[in-house]
Amino acid sequence: MSDDEEEVKGSSSVLEQNNIESPVEEDDDNGHGDVDGSPTMHDDFQRHSKESSIHSQRQANGRATPELTRGKDEGDAVQDGDDNEGDDGGEEEDEEEDDDDSEDEEEPALKYERLGGSATQILERDTASAVAVSTKYVAVGTHTGVVHILDYLGNRTQAYRPHSASINEMCIDSTEEFVATASMDGQVVIHSLSAPESYAFDLRRPMRTISLDPQFAKNGAKAFVCGGMAGTLVMHEKGWLGHKETVIHSGEGPIWTSKWRGNLIAWANDLGVKIYDRDAQVRITYIDRPPDSPRADLFKCNLFWQDDSTLLIAWADYIKVARIRARPRSTAGPSQLPPLYAEVTAAFQLDCMISGIVPHPTPPTPTASLSEAPKNFLVLAYISPDKFINEATVDRAEQARKAANRPELRIISRHGEELSSDELSLTGYHLFGCNDYSLAEVEGMSGRCYVVLSPRSVVLVRPRDKKDHVEWLVQQKRYEEALEVVESMEGEGVDANEIGQQYLEHLFQEGEYDKAAHMAPKVFGHAEKLWENWIFRFAQQHRLDTIIPYVPTNTPQLSRLVYEMILAHYIRHDVPALLLTLNSWPSNIYDISAVIVAVQAELERTPSTGVQGSLLMECLAELYISNRQPGKALPYLLRLRRPNVFDLIRENNLFLAVQDQALLLLEFDKEITEKKRAAGEEPEGRSVAVALLVDHTHSIPVQRVVQQLEGRRNFLYLYLDALFDKDPQLVSDFTDLQVELYAEFKPSRLIDFLRASNQYSLEKAYQICQTRDLVPEMVFLLGRMGNNKKALYLIIDKMKDVHRAIEFAKEQNDDDLWEDLLRYSETRPPFIRGLLENVGAQIDPIRLIRRIKNGLEIPGLKGALVKILQDFNLQISLLGGCQTILHSDCTDFARRLQKNQTSGFLESAASLCMFCSLPLHDSSQALSLLFLCRHVVHAACASGGDEIPLQSGAALLNICGDIRAINDKIAFAAMVRARIDQGCPVCYRMNEGERAS
């Protein structure tokens, strides 16, 4: 699209609802052809593998590419309905396939799966234009401006329409919370998938790219960069007054794409690729395009950050690898160069155009770890049917659009060698261009995964794993090697029926039942009938205990008869194993009621006081809970003294059933706590029973609990204390009681309660504190009651804390109280010294010193007096320094004023009056006035200037230039000053304007 393309105008936001029930209906008039039927895994993908130089020449047409099929039973290759290739040369293709079969076939590197479900229906009505991926979902943007959020099964979880035109680029932040889109309608939109939060910006020019700060959801700045046809890359950051815009780059043509990683931002324009260091706020490098490259808009630029310091650049048919390094520090002094620089470590040209590039590890063997393999490149290659030799041709045949070739996925080594290549037969591929395809890597997902996007398809690409390797070995009839790989895979769900059942038969014949049971998950997989048949075979051999640990409970789920047979076996022979099995198995795979009847029958035959009886009661409790009868399980758990009884009450809302059992619950919880302490475990946090009672006061009333706990004051203290921490209003009726409880059980917390609450009786609280001799609390209460003198007396007489007395006097801010403090301190030397050491605005040191009686010995008096003198000396020194600074500043300002007032003023015939803007030497305005503020005006423009005479004899002559009599000047100036009552009219007008504003 050219720079002068018409801008898309509209409202600032076209966001619709976050979720829609059905795909957005749009006209299928987009020129992309019809859609095939339901896709299947591998059916539409062709591949060929080879090792050759990346610069080797390809044949454009007539190349045979064998289809990747789903399994060995599918004989015919599935041809795409849009493939227009003819049937010519069929015999030659058969001969080539025969030749290939005669050689050892190389194992493919990748496997493909078309995203089905809702994705197929969506792309039948619309065409995709952009994609962004995360570990949880795939975000697909369409040409109609709709964003579809799909999971990796193809199911649509959300859909919304932020734009009215094609979406050019999408981005997802690191938390997978926000999806950002840039569109041809001139808008960029950042939308939250889990909250009603979105940001929309109308930039009024088609937008090509947007990149979010990787920590967008966590950082308050909500920073992102965007650019497009306006040719400006702008960073938006959220501030107090809205989003602040910072232009990072402009003036070199449209911004085609951008990528943000850490503190580095890379973008591409018509001239090349640039990288910006956000920390240093400087551009650190420029990587230009090759001089013979096609136009920038014909083949898109692909940027990918392999890591925090490696950028992959793929543009047209070139690949470059840029490494960001720290610039060595210069010993010559500070340098103006950026702290980072970029080094192009690899650059090579391919024989195709590139629609996407990501790093790809290629293990040396199919069983090796992908994380340990060296990083190569996975390239989505587009072989253009046009040569772009003469773009200005007038030949209609050359100008006509040619059918496109199939796109290819190639693995390219770091040295530029092609390791493998797969042709992708996508729906309508012959209608699409290089810019219609996209390749994205799903970072953070267990196992590598890539997404290939075309306007009509979404394809998941994954490296072949061990399971695929086994399938390939089976296809090659290498059963022994396949069995060895299956044994090393540790039960990853490989269907090993054909190679495993014979092995199990052999193990049964040899009597190796343990090994056969260990192999069962690998061999049976999800085959339900195989599991059931072999479990019955183990039971016939009286080896049921051997296979039980491997019996699946889900995927596949066997018949209820199998699971009930196992539980019945445990009821008769192994009750501890029965309990473990009930805890680990899902309850929907067997008939709970039937198992309850069987366990109750066994419990009736077993003494309930023994270990066996306790285990059976616990089994019954678990069964009742699984059967959604927690009320029946509660008596068993209370008899067994199980700690999970509190969880049972919470999870099943049994608060009404225990509202009269508060004391029992607290005693039960105390027993559990004592057992933990005896075992060396220190309980964490508040009592579980107390927390349960406090958190559910709506079901367990406070008054009801207090009545039950009146006889156990320690429990009552714990309950009211927790209730006060949650909400002080809940204990408003029990504040006086709570004062008693704090004084009895936790005196250290009483002062905090007295400060936080104001609903208790001050007199009762004081009596309680007086009874227990809690002096700090008594002082606080006396202060609240207004008896400050008595409070001060307590501090001085009982606490003997001079600092506390001083602080108390400061808080009350009462002169009489200070006088009392001084009077009390006259006979107490430590208090006198403390007061001297804390003299300030409230204490006059002279007033205090005069009160000291002659002959009174005060320890540390000398040091206190020296400190007072030093403080006053410091104050005097500070005042003297301030006076010196003030005098110096006044002198400087006076000199500046005198200089400005005595300096000359240059006047010419063109000088204008600063008030009326007319020439000063107008004949009608003969007299001009120069004020000390340097403003020159007509005398008539000043207030009172009309009364100044035009002729003033010798004095006027002296002012105009003939200096003969200073006295005349002074007299005339005094007369003018007396007539001008408002001073300079210019300054007066300026001052009036400021006051009016």
Side-chain angles (χ1 to χ4, degrees):
M1 180 171 294
S2 60
D3 290 340
D4 56 351
E5 181 176 351
E6 181 181 356
E7 297 181 3
V8 179
K9 299 181 180 179
S11 61
S12 60
S13 175
V14 292
L15 286 176
E16 296 182 353
Q17 296 180 353
N18 293 341
N19 298 291
I20 54 179
E21 295 296 329
S22 60
V24 179
E25 297 291 340
E26 298 290 343
D27 295 337
D28 196 16
D29 188 13
N30 45 32
H32 292 317
D34 296 330
V35 181
D36 290 344
S38 300
T40 57
M41 184 175 177
H42 304 313
D43 285 349
D44 293 336
F45 301 100
Q46 295 182 336
R47 71 168 298 275
H48 73 283
S49 301
K50 64 179 183 179
E51 295 182 4
S52 62
S53 172
I54 197 64
H55 300 291
S56 63
Q57 297 295 325
R58 285 181 179 271
Q59 295 181 356
N61 299 307
R63 182 176 58 183
T65 55
E67 293 280 341
L68 285 180
T69 57
R70 243 189 314 185
K72 66 178 184 178
D73 295 334
E74 296 180 9
D76 299 331
V78 179
Q79 297 294 332
D80 196 300
D82 291 328
D83 191 356
N84 295 328
E85 297 179 0
D87 296 334
D88 298 339
E91 296 179 359
E92 296 178 1
E93 293 182 359
D94 294 340
E95 292 177 359
E96 292 179 2
E97 292 178 359
D98 294 339
D99 294 339
D100 293 339
D101 294 339
S102 63
E103 300 177 359
D104 291 338
E105 183 179 351
E106 181 182 357
E107 185 174 359
L110 302 172
K111 60 180 179 179
Y112 304 86
E113 179 181 2
R114 191 189 302 272
L115 200 63
S118 302
T120 303
Q121 302 174 1
I122 292 170
L123 296 182
E124 286 178 354
R125 295 185 173 93
D126 204 348
T127 52
S129 60
V131 67
V133 297
S134 70
T135 58
K136 299 178 181 178
Y137 55 83
V138 178
V140 177
T142 68
H143 284 287
T144 58
V146 180
V147 175
H148 300 276
I149 307 300
L150 309 171
D151 61 19
Y152 282 91
L153 299 176
N155 301 315
R156 183 176 62 185
T157 60
Q158 290 189 37
Y160 62 97
R161 186 172 188 173
H163 300 287
S164 59
S166 297
I167 298 175
N168 290 326
E169 192 167 280
M170 305 176 67
C171 179
I172 301 175
D173 74 323
S174 60
T175 64
E176 304 179 358
E177 166 70 14
F178 289 91
V179 177
T181 53
S183 171
M184 290 298 296
D185 63 1
Q187 296 194 34
V188 294
V189 176
I190 304 172
H191 181 77
S192 172
L193 297 180
S194 62
E197 181 180 359
S198 62
Y199 306 91
F201 302 87
D202 190 354
L203 304 177
R204 302 190 179 280
R205 289 297 302 274
M207 302 305 297
R208 284 288 184 179
T209 181
I210 183 171
S211 291
L212 296 179
D213 179 357
Q215 303 299 323
F216 181 87
K218 300 178 181 179
N219 293 342
K222 303 296 183 185
F224 68 93
V225 295
C226 61
M229 303 307 296
T232 303
L233 183 68
V234 182
M235 177 180 290
H236 295 256
E237 296 177 281
K238 189 176 182 181
W240 288 102
L241 300 178
H243 278 76
K244 178 183 70 175
E245 297 183 0
T246 303
V247 177
I248 297 178
H249 185 74
S250 64
E252 293 184 0
I255 307 297
W256 297 110
T257 188
S258 63
K259 288 293 182 290
W260 191 332
R261 177 74 175 253
N263 63 321
L264 300 177
I265 304 173
W267 73 93
N269 57 23
D270 284 348
L271 299 184
V273 176
K274 299 173 176 61
I275 303 177
Y276 177 80
D277 184 354
R278 190 188 181 196
D279 290 345
Q281 296 184 353
V282 64
R283 195 180 75 189
I284 64 175
T285 189
Y286 161 65
I287 304 172
D288 60 347
R289 298 178 62 218
D292 57 343
S293 298
R295 283 203 334 260
D297 60 332
L298 294 180
F299 301 100
K300 63 181 179 181
C301 177
N302 297 277
L303 303 177
F304 189 91
W305 285 103
Q306 178 176 312
D307 51 46
D308 291 341
S309 60
T310 305
L311 178 65
L312 307 183
I313 306 170
W315 204 338
D317 54 351
Y318 277 89
I319 294 178
K320 292 184 179 181
V321 181
R323 184 75 175 176
I324 311 301
R325 305 182 188 277
R327 191 180 301 278
R329 294 187 177 180
S330 174
T331 58
S335 174
Q336 300 299 323
L337 297 175
L340 303 176
Y341 71 96
E343 177 185 358
V344 178
T345 58
F348 44 84
Q349 186 178 13
L350 278 65
D351 61 344
C352 61
M353 299 302 173
I354 302 171
S355 296
I357 184 171
V358 293
H360 175 71
T362 302
T365 62
T367 57
S369 174
L370 288 173
S371 60
E372 301 174 355
K375 290 291 182 71
N376 299 316
F377 303 125
L378 181 64
V379 173
L380 182 57
Y382 175 80
I383 304 174
S384 176
D386 299 313
K387 301 303 181 183
F388 298 98
I389 300 176
N390 181 16
E391 296 186 12
T393 180
V394 296
D395 187 357
R396 291 285 185 177
E398 289 190 46
Q399 291 179 352
R401 181 174 181 178
K402 302 175 179 62
N405 298 312
R406 301 176 188 269
E408 299 180 7
L409 266 183
R410 300 181 183 179
I411 300 177
I412 308 297
S413 72
R414 289 283 176 171
H415 305 291
E417 296 181 355
E418 181 179 314
L419 303 180
S420 70
S421 176
D422 296 344
E423 286 190 351
L424 308 179
S425 183
L426 303 173
T427 303
Y429 69 88
H430 62 285
L431 300 173
F432 305 139
C434 179
N435 294 348
D436 293 325
Y437 298 103
S438 297
L439 174 63
E441 178 187 12
V442 184
E443 300 184 24
M445 178 179 287
S446 58
R448 303 190 71 86
C449 180
Y450 312 100
V451 175
V452 175
L453 178 76
S454 76
R456 289 295 188 184
S457 304
V458 181
V459 179
L460 302 182
V461 183
R462 294 184 176 89
R464 293 175 63 86
D465 54 16
K466 296 178 182 179
K467 176 182 177 181
D468 303 307
H469 179 57
V470 171
E471 293 178 355
W472 184 78
L473 290 175
V474 172
Q475 291 176 0
Q476 300 300 314
K477 299 181 180 181
R478 293 153 62 174
Y479 299 110
E480 292 182 2
E481 296 180 32
L483 188 59
E484 291 177 0
V485 176
V486 169
E487 290 176 352
S488 65
M489 292 174 66
E490 300 180 359
E492 294 184 7
V494 176
D495 185 6
N497 291 337
E498 295 184 5
I499 59 176
Q501 289 195 63
Q502 294 180 2
Y503 187 48
L504 288 182
E505 290 287 354
H506 171 72
L507 293 176
F508 254 70
Q509 293 175 3
E510 297 295 327
E512 298 183 17
Y513 300 107
D514 292 337
K515 193 172 183 179
H518 180 73
M519 289 292 299
K522 305 173 186 178
V523 175
F524 304 150
H526 302 326
E528 178 182 344
K529 293 300 181 182
L530 285 176
W531 273 108
E532 293 177 358
N533 294 336
W534 280 92
I535 289 172
F536 284 120
R537 289 193 61 180
F538 274 95
Q540 291 173 0
Q541 299 295 328
H542 304 287
R543 294 286 183 173
L544 193 58
D545 289 329
T546 306
I547 191 62
I548 288 176
Y550 304 97
V551 173
T553 58
N554 185 23
T555 316
Q557 179 177 326
L558 309 181
S559 66
R560 292 192 172 191
L561 178 61
V562 174
Y563 300 120
E564 292 170 5
M565 177 184 67
I566 294 173
L567 293 177
H569 171 78
Y570 277 153
I571 291 173
R572 293 191 302 270
H573 302 97
D574 195 347
V575 177
L578 172 66
L579 180 60
L580 294 175
T581 305
L582 292 176
N583 289 329
S584 60
W585 278 7
S587 59
N588 61 334
I589 62 176
Y590 54 87
D591 188 347
I592 299 178
S593 300
V595 179
I596 289 175
V597 172
V599 174
Q600 285 178 335
E602 186 68 21
L603 180 61
E604 292 175 357
R605 297 191 295 267
T606 305
S608 59
T609 57
V611 177
Q612 193 86 348
S614 298
L615 291 174
L616 288 172
M617 284 192 291
E618 193 162 354
C619 291
L620 274 176
E622 293 295 332
L623 289 168
Y624 278 126
I625 293 172
S626 300
N627 205 31
R628 298 180 181 180
Q629 295 175 296
K632 293 185 177 181
L634 189 59
Y636 292 105
L637 294 177
L638 289 174
R639 288 176 61 185
L640 295 170
R641 295 292 189 183
R642 291 293 182 260
N644 63 336
V645 68
F646 298 103
D647 296 331
L648 179 71
I649 295 171
R650 289 179 182 274
E651 294 172 0
N652 298 279
N653 198 19
L654 300 176
F655 308 111
L656 294 176
V658 298
Q659 62 180 356
D660 294 326
Q661 305 293 329
L663 181 58
L664 178 62
L665 292 175
L666 288 170
E667 291 176 343
F668 179 29
D669 184 60
K670 184 180 179 181
E671 293 178 9
I672 297 174
T673 303
E674 291 176 352
K675 289 181 181 178
K676 289 183 178 179
R677 287 176 179 168
E681 300 179 11
E682 189 63 27
E684 298 181 0
R686 200 179 298 275
S687 166
V688 178
V690 171
L692 185 143
L693 296 174
V694 169
D695 293 340
H696 301 89
T697 54
H698 57 283
S699 301
I700 309 175
V702 176
Q703 183 68 38
R704 202 160 184 168
V705 176
V706 171
Q707 291 175 358
Q708 298 178 55
L709 302 181
E710 285 179 348
R712 298 293 296 271
R713 292 176 63 83
N714 58 331
F715 289 154
L716 185 59
Y717 156 71
L718 294 174
Y719 174 68
L720 291 178
D721 179 49
L723 208 60
F724 181 78
D725 290 341
K726 178 183 178 183
D727 186 358
Q729 295 298 324
L730 295 175
V731 295
S732 59
D733 297 335
F734 310 100
T735 50
D736 293 335
L737 174 61
Q738 201 162 6
V739 172
E740 295 181 19
L741 295 173
Y742 275 121
E744 180 179 355
F745 296 102
K746 198 73 170 180
S748 60
R749 290 205 58 186
L750 178 56
I751 187 65
D752 296 330
F753 174 77
L754 295 176
R755 293 179 185 275
S757 177
N758 57 3
Q759 297 178 344
Y760 53 87
S761 172
L762 295 175
E763 291 77 8
K764 292 182 180 179
Y766 182 77
Q767 292 176 2
I768 294 171
C769 295
Q770 190 176 24
T771 302
R772 297 184 177 272
D773 197 23
L774 302 176
V775 179
E777 289 77 7
M778 293 167 63
V779 171
F780 174 78
L781 292 171
L782 288 172
R784 273 203 169 181
M785 290 187 289
N787 196 347
N788 296 328
K789 290 186 178 182
K790 188 173 181 180
L792 183 63
Y793 171 76
L794 287 176
I795 296 173
I796 296 173
D797 188 59
K798 292 193 175 183
M799 297 179 67
K800 294 181 175 55
D801 188 348
V802 62
H803 297 287
R804 179 71 181 89
I806 294 173
E807 290 297 327
F808 181 76
K810 287 181 179 179
E811 290 175 1
Q812 303 304 323
N813 194 20
D814 186 358
D815 292 338
D816 295 337
L817 197 61
W818 281 109
E819 183 64 27
D820 293 338
L821 177 59
L822 293 177
R823 186 172 63 255
Y824 291 154
S825 303
E826 289 177 355
T827 59
R828 293 174 174 82
F831 274 72
I832 295 176
R833 179 185 174 185
L835 290 171
L836 289 173
E837 291 176 349
N838 291 274
V839 295
Q842 294 83 4
I843 307 176
D844 184 1
I846 302 299
R847 177 184 174 189
L848 178 59
I849 292 172
R850 286 177 178 174
R851 286 178 174 270
I852 301 175
K853 297 180 180 180
N854 294 331
L856 182 62
E857 184 178 351
I858 302 175
L861 176 62
K862 180 180 178 180
L865 293 176
V866 169
K867 183 176 181 297
I868 293 174
L869 294 175
Q870 288 177 346
D871 292 343
F872 274 89
N873 270 338
L874 179 60
Q875 293 180 14
I876 294 171
S877 176
L878 290 173
L879 290 173
C882 294
Q883 184 177 5
T884 302
I885 295 172
L886 181 61
H887 182 268
S888 175
D889 290 344
C890 291
T891 303
D892 291 341
F893 282 119
R895 288 175 180 171
R896 289 172 57 186
L897 177 62
Q898 190 269 342
K899 180 180 178 181
N900 290 335
Q901 290 180 351
T902 58
S903 59
F905 180 79
L906 178 62
E907 181 180 345
S908 65
S911 298
L912 302 178
C913 173
M914 295 185 180
F915 187 81
C916 66
S917 301
L918 296 176
L920 287 173
H921 295 284
D922 191 358
S923 59
S924 62
Q925 302 287 344
L927 183 61
S928 300
L929 299 179
L930 172 62
F931 293 89
L932 293 179
C933 57
R934 314 294 292 172
H935 293 146
V936 182
V937 298
H938 294 118
C941 293
S943 177
D946 295 337
E947 300 176 4
I948 299 175
L950 298 177
Q951 300 291 335
S952 60
L956 184 59
L957 292 174
N958 293 337
I959 290 175
C960 294
D962 186 7
I963 305 175
R964 292 180 296 177
I966 296 177
N967 291 334
D968 293 341
K969 289 182 179 181
I970 295 174
F972 185 76
M975 181 269 294
V976 171
R977 191 178 298 109
R979 301 288 178 86
I980 306 300
D981 55 354
Q982 293 182 351
C984 173
V986 179
C987 295
Y988 181 80
R989 182 170 59 184
M990 293 173 59
N991 294 335
E992 288 296 325
E994 291 179 359
R995 283 194 289 269
S997 62

